Amino acid sequence: TSLQAFSLVDLIVVVGILAILAGMLLPSLAKAKRKAQRIQCVNNLKQIGLGFRIFAVDNQDLFPMALATNQGGTKEFVPTSPASVHFQVLSNELTIPKVLVCPADTRMAAPDFRSLRNASLSYFVGLDAEETRPQILLAGDRNVTNGLAPVNGVLLLPPDRATGWTRELHDGQGNVALADGS
């Protein structure tokens, strides 16, 4: 009887073919992961938009930024406080702070809304967003830029200045939620 076995050359060829296949598949897997993270980010922003809208329905059609603090809003904190203050009042609507962190971001979600800080937040808040102006930016990826420096943490986005995103999240692209919840 003769024994058949792999020779060293056969083994090297098989390992080489597997390495080539893995090299071809890994970039596709990384691209699919980035796409899945972006979809989850859009989903997070949709939930944030709905949270703001639910808050408005319960509070005279006003978002927290337009409602006085003695009525449960954050109006007196505009524009000097960090964005996290405006998200903290949505604790009943959003349930968990994990939704405030984009999966493509390296930031960690706060354990609860009381300990929420900008360091555990992936999104900006549009301070002038109103329920009556549905196309105004309500929230979006924090890496938005227009070349201007933020003043007290507030970035002004004038209509005559081009706005975009840094490469920090979503490879130079970004996501936003509009005041109508879309």
Side-chain angles (χ1 to χ4, degrees):
T1 66
S2 65
L3 295 173
Q4 291 187 356
F6 279 110
S7 69
L8 184 58
V9 172
D10 292 337
L11 184 61
I12 291 173
V13 169
V14 169
V15 169
I17 290 172
L18 290 174
I20 290 170
L21 288 173
M24 291 170 42
L25 291 175
L26 287 178
S28 297
L29 293 174
K31 185 177 178 181
K33 180 181 179 184
R34 285 192 306 272
K35 186 173 183 176
Q37 288 174 331
R38 183 121 191 239
I39 290 169
Q40 181 61 45
C41 180
V42 170
N43 183 51
N44 287 355
L45 284 167
K46 181 69 173 177
Q47 289 181 50
I48 291 167
L50 290 173
F52 272 102
R53 304 249 327 152
I54 292 168
F55 180 94
V57 166
D58 293 340
N59 293 282
Q60 308 156 25
D61 291 333
L62 297 173
F63 290 140
M65 302 78 68
L67 188 66
T69 53
N70 63 359
Q71 295 176 310
T74 60
K75 184 175 183 175
E76 287 78 9
F77 295 117
V78 175
T80 58
S81 292
S84 58
V85 169
H86 306 291
F87 289 106
Q88 282 176 321
V89 298
L90 299 177
S91 62
N92 290 337
E93 291 78 13
L94 297 178
T95 314
I96 58 171
K98 183 179 178 184
V99 73
L100 299 173
V101 178
C102 173
D105 201 344
T106 57
R107 296 180 177 200
M108 299 298 293
D112 54 53
F113 279 94
R114 283 189 316 257
S115 55
L116 180 66
R117 302 291 178 267
N118 278 0
S120 55
L121 182 63
S122 293
Y123 304 110
F124 70 81
V125 63
L127 297 176
D128 58 350
E130 297 176 4
E131 180 107 350
T132 59
R133 297 170 46 201
Q135 298 304 310
I136 296 292
L137 296 179
L138 175 61
D141 289 326
R142 67 177 170 80
N143 62 323
V144 67
T145 186
N146 61 2
L148 298 175
V151 178
N152 293 330
V154 176
L155 178 64
L156 298 177
L157 299 175
D160 61 339
R161 188 158 184 106
T163 301
W165 287 269
T166 65
R167 300 193 72 71
E168 188 176 359
L169 299 173
H170 307 300
D171 201 24
Q173 298 176 347
N175 302 310
V176 296
L178 300 178
D180 67 356
S182 65

